Amino acid sequence: MVFMSTAPRPDEDFTDRVRREWAETHPEVDTSPIEVMGRITRIGSQALQQLDRALDASGVSRAEFDVLCVLARSDRPLRASEVTAVTMLSGASTTKHVDRLARLGLVERLPFERDGRVVLLHLTESGRKLVDTEFPQRVERDRQFLAGLDEDECAVLAGLLRRIAANVESGIRR
């Protein structure tokens, strides 16, 4: 059970409440980064939960859909290691997901002509159909999340988020 020391205010969102609660318990800590990072985290979590629910009917998980999307965007079959690098899954997870996708007939493994130890991954026609059905729906959900923002606001937000992403991806550490 979560204990909130004060009642939520009508003009606050979840992140405002969390920040206020931290300010009450740790007034010496500047919690201003939560304004942005807390919202990014919460928006991402909620968007991914909605994607999970949307994908339920297709029979694939979000991670499996990510694998399919990587293959769909490629102009050639890919090594599992290339898929792993793009999806940020572990090598073992990529193998597990590809095994399941192959059993479902959505991905096929092809021999690599130059090295018999290497297997290439290729999207089947069924895999392509699944991506062609689900991807536009995902983009439309994302568009709905941005409702109320005009084109200029979206461009400014994208630029700011790109800068934050670069900081995170560069591995800023203490």
Side-chain angles (χ1 to χ4, degrees):
M1 179 200 270
V2 175
F3 173 76
M4 292 178 31
S5 59
T6 57
R9 297 176 186 159
D11 61 333
E12 288 183 320
D13 68 3
F14 177 84
T15 303
D16 290 327
R17 288 189 299 275
V18 167
R19 185 171 180 215
R20 183 168 43 85
E21 291 165 4
W22 278 122
E24 291 169 5
T25 60
H26 290 286
E28 75 284 1
V29 177
D30 173 12
T31 61
S32 60
I34 293 173
E35 288 280 346
V36 175
M37 297 307 294
R39 284 187 176 88
I40 289 170
T41 302
R42 186 154 172 87
I43 290 166
S45 293
Q46 290 179 328
L48 292 175
Q49 286 174 5
Q50 289 186 32
L51 177 58
D52 287 338
R53 285 192 299 274
L55 288 171
D56 280 347
S58 73
V60 298
S61 70
R62 180 178 7 116
E64 291 164 344
F65 184 66
D66 285 347
V67 170
L68 294 174
C69 287
V70 169
L71 295 172
R73 292 190 312 264
S74 178
D75 60 352
R76 62 180 174 76
L78 299 175
R79 294 184 191 109
S81 62
E82 293 173 302
V83 173
T84 296
V86 173
T87 61
M88 296 188 298
L89 295 168
S90 70
S93 289
T94 299
T95 299
K96 178 184 86 167
H97 295 308
V98 168
D99 286 348
R100 184 167 183 280
L101 292 168
R103 283 193 307 275
L104 293 172
L106 302 172
V107 170
E108 63 183 340
R109 290 181 171 97
L110 305 171
F112 185 51
E113 296 171 3
R114 291 183 276 170
D115 186 343
R117 299 168 295 175
V118 176
V119 175
L120 299 176
L121 305 175
H122 178 71
L123 203 58
T124 64
E125 189 58 37
S126 295
R128 172 75 54 193
K129 280 184 185 177
L130 191 147
V131 171
D132 289 349
T133 299
E134 295 295 334
F135 176 69
Q137 293 174 25
R138 179 185 182 169
V139 173
E140 183 53 34
R141 274 189 307 279
D142 289 350
R143 187 179 328 285
Q144 291 171 12
F145 296 150
L146 298 172
L149 299 178
D150 65 30
E151 194 173 316
D152 290 339
E153 290 170 322
C154 285
V156 168
L157 180 58
L160 295 170
L161 291 171
R162 187 176 297 110
R163 287 169 46 194
I164 294 169
N167 290 342
V168 172
E169 290 171 6
S170 72
I172 292 177
R173 289 183 174 69
R174 251 187 151 191

